[in-house]
Amino acid sequence: MKFVALPLGSASALALAAMTALPAAAQTAPDPNAAPAPSPAATSALQETPADGTATTPADAGQPASADATPPQDAAPSMPRTDILSKNTVSILLDARLALANGETSFTNGGLGKTRFQGTANGDYRGYAVPVEADLIWLPRFTPSLTANVSGAWQRDQENKFDLIEAFFNFLPEQKGKIGFQARAGLMWPEISLEHSTGGAWSVVNTITPSAINSWVGEEVKVLGVEGTLRASLGQHELSLTGGVFAGNDTSGTLLSFRGWALHDEKATGFGHFPLPPLNSFIRLLQEDRTRSTIELDNRPGFYGRLDWRPPWPFGIALFYYDNRGNPEAFKPTGQWGWRTRFWNLGINADLGTKTKLLIQGMSGSTIMGFEEHGVPWVHTYFNAAYLLVTRQFCDKVAVTARAEAFDTREHGSEMSPLDSEDGWSWTVAARYSLTSRLTLFAEALNVRSKRGVRATDLGINPFQAQTVFQLALRFHL
């Protein structure tokens, strides 16, 4: 099997392209039968409901919807004003896998492998038949405008048998006129990903494995905060502005610097850790061999902002900025350090006809940790990533997705080596088939190639590594 590789350093160029180019196909006239433009809280999915029922619509404000459910055209489905605990508010998601993978030791086992599954000791293919996740989701409705989203999960590679995934309130009052407002508060992910649904469990919609960008968001950009969104209609244009203030995300950037990017669907929990690869002789004296994504170290709140624009053409654009305002000199005796992490993220979604969706997402930022030596912090990592994804819906039951992406990091810290920098690229092909309204089958082929110099100096292996993972996932929604 042959693979076509992008040139080294291509992540920066691809990220720039994602931030400057609009798809030409997006200039076509809008579909008169298309659904209304979603609110910012709903744009993280691919503008469609996945067959496992995890996506949401703006009107549901976090309630799961069945892909086969078709409400009457002349009236919206009636919803109870209050529904705290019923079969409509509690659901379960189960995910089991068959996987075949090769390559080096996975990051889940403290290696530098880019995927969740790994090969044998000598890198040959190894097979897996394992359950990977079980989610319990509670979506109560307290009033017509006040709901909540609480979910917990067992994940195969997490240390805790059951842990909290999300727990937040939604406030979505009825919009009257051209101005609207909504708010969220609690433990949650900011609206960055274009690949995940927002209704419980934060599941990927059309693939098994999210992009490198959204894999990292899932593991290191979970916040405990409050956000508000102001929406406005200006003629045929829909605009929204979101602002958030948060705590509990001071270690964001640890994995990007010490491990680099990865592609997987493991999610940060409220109390769990991610393992780190072998650290250099200086860093290992300071840093614990694992990192926790949701702790507060410096009592300095972070913030983020997002601007969405949906014109009367079949595309939308979202620009996002994040700054955790972490103190890079703050630390706990256990070896958890503060990181100052900032990044820009641009997302574009477009309809290429009635059955084809295009997503483009690019991220660029930096992260700093430790004290300064001669004006240079111990760790100072710049990071870039971007992807292009196309999904084609062939019928009500079948969708096929293809994604190409590139990523890199550049290390400038005084106690790190330029060999800690990396370049990588990957491609993914996936299919989603709705067996029933509650049972969905996914098939995926993922290939990742990356170069990181410390593989040779610290692990004694080739700095260039290629990994391929084939997966079948059966996702059940009850």
Side-chain angles (χ1 to χ4, degrees), residues 159-312:
E159 61 187 303
N160 299 326
K161 292 183 178 179
F162 189 81
D163 209 334
L164 187 65
I165 296 292
E166 288 185 295
F168 61 89
F169 290 98
N170 287 302
F171 179 62
L172 182 61
E174 181 181 358
Q175 180 172 334
K176 297 180 179 180
K178 296 184 177 181
I179 304 295
F181 175 78
Q182 65 190 70
R184 297 193 301 164
L187 181 67
M188 59 194 177
W189 281 280
E191 296 293 340
I192 301 173
S193 176
L194 298 178
E195 300 176 279
H196 288 78
S197 63
T198 56
W202 207 67
S203 300
V204 189
V205 176
N206 282 307
T207 61
I208 298 173
T209 306
S211 63
I213 290 176
N214 295 317
S215 294
W216 178 65
V217 170
E219 63 190 2
E220 284 204 306
V221 194
K222 175 177 282 187
V223 303
L224 179 63
V226 58
E227 70 171 37
T229 299
L230 187 65
R231 306 185 306 274
S233 299
L234 302 177
Q236 293 183 301
H237 297 260
E238 298 290 333
L239 296 173
S240 65
L241 181 64
T242 299
V245 179
F246 64 87
N249 196 216
D250 285 338
T251 61
S252 178
T254 310
L255 287 167
L256 269 183
S257 292
F258 295 148
R259 181 210 61 196
W261 297 95
L263 289 94
H264 63 92
D265 60 335
E266 188 175 349
K267 296 167 284 195
T269 61
F271 305 98
H273 295 79
F274 288 95
L276 294 174
L279 305 173
N280 68 39
S281 58
F282 178 82
I283 297 296
R284 74 167 63 105
L285 298 174
L286 309 165
Q287 170 69 48
E288 190 178 6
D289 62 358
R290 58 182 187 164
T291 178
R292 180 177 165 189
S293 306
T294 55
I295 58 175
E296 179 63 37
L297 294 169
D298 56 15
N299 298 316
R300 290 164 49 169
F303 71 92
Y304 58 83
R306 172 172 167 145
L307 178 64
D308 289 80
W309 172 47
R310 180 161 291 276

Side-chain angles (χ1 to χ4, degrees), residues 32 132 157 187 362:
V132 297
D157 298 311
L187 181 67

Side-chain angles (χ1 to χ4, degrees), residues 427-430 443-447 468-471:
W427 59 259
T428 305
V429 177
E444 179 183 274
L446 166 67
N447 178 258
T468 302
V469 181
F470 301 98
Q471 292 188 78

Side-chain angles (χ1 to χ4, degrees), residues 432-468:
R432 171 170 57 83
Y433 180 71
S434 302
L435 298 171
T436 70
S437 61
R438 298 189 180 276
L439 194 61
T440 307
L441 177 66
F442 292 83
E444 179 183 274
L446 166 67
N447 178 258
V448 188
R449 296 192 166 202
S450 61
K451 182 178 180 181
R452 191 177 181 94
V454 293
R455 286 186 173 123
T457 58
D458 295 355
L459 302 177
I461 62 176
N462 193 326
F464 176 84
Q465 292 287 320
Q467 297 172 271
T468 302

